């Protein structure tokens, strides 16, 4: 499935605390799929796909953007890396529609419990405000987290 490259203004990476955040691109997908292919990562989101190749296929579909019947949506997908080493640790995503943004993160299990999701989601909320002014991330079905304590 062909994947559109990100626009030039969106290819720059952003440093945020210990993280480097950048648009997810096709060359990241196989490594991302291998990193995330773990039962614990998919435990609460439908179960582990049968292979890393199926994870990569799902990522390619996400990069292709919303289907024609959801053309009013904007899909944002970002890679998370450790700033110090460049190691790929996970991804952030948002679906922006109808004035809201539904956000999510997936991290490789070795990076759980280190505050990376919290820091990444803080950045993602700022990024959504920048690219989709007026969209509100996390409401109305917000779960309280350290990143979004006031749901």
């Amino acid at each position: 499935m062909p994947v559109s490259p990100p626009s030039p203004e969106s290819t720059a990476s952003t440093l945020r605390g210990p993280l480097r955040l950048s648009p997810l691109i096709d060359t990241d997908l196989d490594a991302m799929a291998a990193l995330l292919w773990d039962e614990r990562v998919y435990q609460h989101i439908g179960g582990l796909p049968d292979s890393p190749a199926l994870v990569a296929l799902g990522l390619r579909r996400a990069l292709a953007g919303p289907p024609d019947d959801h053309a009013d949506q904007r899909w944002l997908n970002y890679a998370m890396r450790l700033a110090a080493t460049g190691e790929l640790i996970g991804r952030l995503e948002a679906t922006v529609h109808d004035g809201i943004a539904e956000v999510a993160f997936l991290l490789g299990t070795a990076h759980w419990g280190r505050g990376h999701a919290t820091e990444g989601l803080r950045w993602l909320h700022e990024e959504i405000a920048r690219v989709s002014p007026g969209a509100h991330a996390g409401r109305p079905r917000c779960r309280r987290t350290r990143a979004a304590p006031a749901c």
Side-chain angles (χ1 to χ4, degrees):
M1 175 180 304
V3 175
S4 301
S7 61
E9 68 275 2
S10 71
T11 58
S13 63
T14 301
L15 293 176
R16 175 76 184 230
L19 302 176
R20 184 167 43 105
L21 304 142
S22 59
L24 189 63
I25 57 174
D26 192 57
T27 56
D28 292 330
L29 300 186
D30 290 333
M32 183 71 71
L35 173 72
L36 298 177
W37 194 61
D38 184 301
E39 287 181 6
R40 295 168 291 176
V41 172
Y42 285 89
Q43 179 178 2
H44 301 289
I45 54 173
L48 182 67
D50 290 335
S51 69
L54 288 177
V55 175
L57 178 62
L59 293 169
R60 282 184 176 78
R61 288 179 177 153
L63 286 186
D68 291 342
D69 61 338
H70 292 326
D72 60 327
Q73 296 181 358
R74 182 170 186 181
W75 291 3
L76 307 173
N77 294 279
Y78 299 95
M80 299 173 68
R81 290 183 167 77
L82 296 178
T85 64
E87 178 186 357
L88 188 63
I89 66 166
R91 66 183 288 249
L92 298 166
E93 65 178 63
T95 300
V96 182
H97 63 94
D98 301 318
I100 65 167
E102 298 179 37
V103 301
F105 64 90
L106 293 175
L107 291 176
T109 58
H111 302 284
W112 290 5
R114 298 181 182 183
H116 298 318
T118 300
E119 195 63 37
L121 287 172
R122 285 183 179 140
W123 174 84
L124 184 58
H125 283 246
E126 293 169 6
E127 181 69 357
I128 291 165
R130 185 183 73 77
V131 301
S132 296
H136 297 281
R139 291 180 178 34
R141 296 181 293 162
C142 180
R143 290 190 187 147
R144 291 183 188 270
T145 67
R146 284 179 272 171
C151 296

